[in-house]
Amino acid sequence: REPIKGDGGDAGGGTVRKLQMESQRVNGIVRPGTVDLETRTVEIVFTTGQSGKRWHWDIGYYMEELEVSKAAIRTERLDKGLSIIDNHDRWAGTSGVHGITESYRIENGELIGTARFATDDDSDVVFKKVVDGVLRHVSLGYNVLKFDVKAGKGENELDTYRAVDWEPLEL
């Protein structure tokens, strides 16, 4: 993966840190009232870019944010459709795939998409939970290719790593 780039808090400009970052997950929300039973679709807010506390072996705790913009998001996978999988288990094969995302847009700082669920028995169980309003929270898996880093102000504030080049992987 590409190095993480940022100001690292030094006054002399930028520093480059080479870190191997694992893929991350961020919370998403099913949009109430958008379920379409006929097409088996629903709108989901994939991410608002919200800040979340993370930990890495080399840097300890830090805050991570996603920049939600056309410039920051690598959309190749989004354009093809993200797999909707259970528990981010990419190794479950086709039996772990419950659907696909069909479209997406960036609106008011949110990445919003339409998810379509498959008709097999296992996927139907998941879709019914969405229809019933029981499954309302999902998570977006992603890889970050570049961060802008801002040092925390003061002793108790964590550094903020803002993902300015990132790629959604799955929902």
Side-chain angles (χ1 to χ4, degrees), residues 65-113:
E65 301 174 349
L66 297 177
E67 179 180 318
V68 181
S69 70
K70 289 183 181 184
I73 303 170
R74 294 191 182 200
T75 62
E76 293 84 7
R77 289 180 186 238
L78 280 169
D79 293 336
K80 294 176 184 175
L82 301 178
S83 292
I84 299 170
I85 60 177
D86 191 18
N87 294 316
H88 297 282
D89 185 0
R90 293 182 227 146
W91 301 273
T94 57
S95 64
V97 178
H98 297 296
I100 192 163
T101 62
E102 294 191 323
S103 63
Y104 67 92
R105 67 185 183 279
I106 296 171
E107 184 177 286
N108 299 321
E110 298 179 332
L111 178 60
I112 302 168

Side-chain angles (χ1 to χ4, degrees), residues 4-5 8 23 29 41 52 63 110 117 119 122 148-150:
I4 296 173
K5 299 180 180 182
S23 63
I29 302 167
T41 59
M63 297 302 291
E110 298 179 332
F117 288 85
T119 58
D122 289 340
D148 277 344
V149 181
K150 298 222 183 302

Side-chain angles (χ1 to χ4, degrees), residues 31 60 92 138 151:
R31 295 184 92 183
V138 297

Side-chain angles (χ1 to χ4, degrees), residues 111-125:
L111 178 60
I112 302 168
T114 300
R116 180 172 49 88
F117 288 85
T119 58
D120 63 278
D121 291 341
D122 289 340
S123 300
D124 196 47
V125 169

Side-chain angles (χ1 to χ4, degrees), residues 27-32 43-48 136-139:
N27 294 332
I29 302 167
V30 174
R31 295 184 92 183
E43 274 196 2
I44 295 175
V45 177
F46 296 163
T47 183
T48 62
R136 299 180 301 192
H137 306 281
V138 297
S139 60

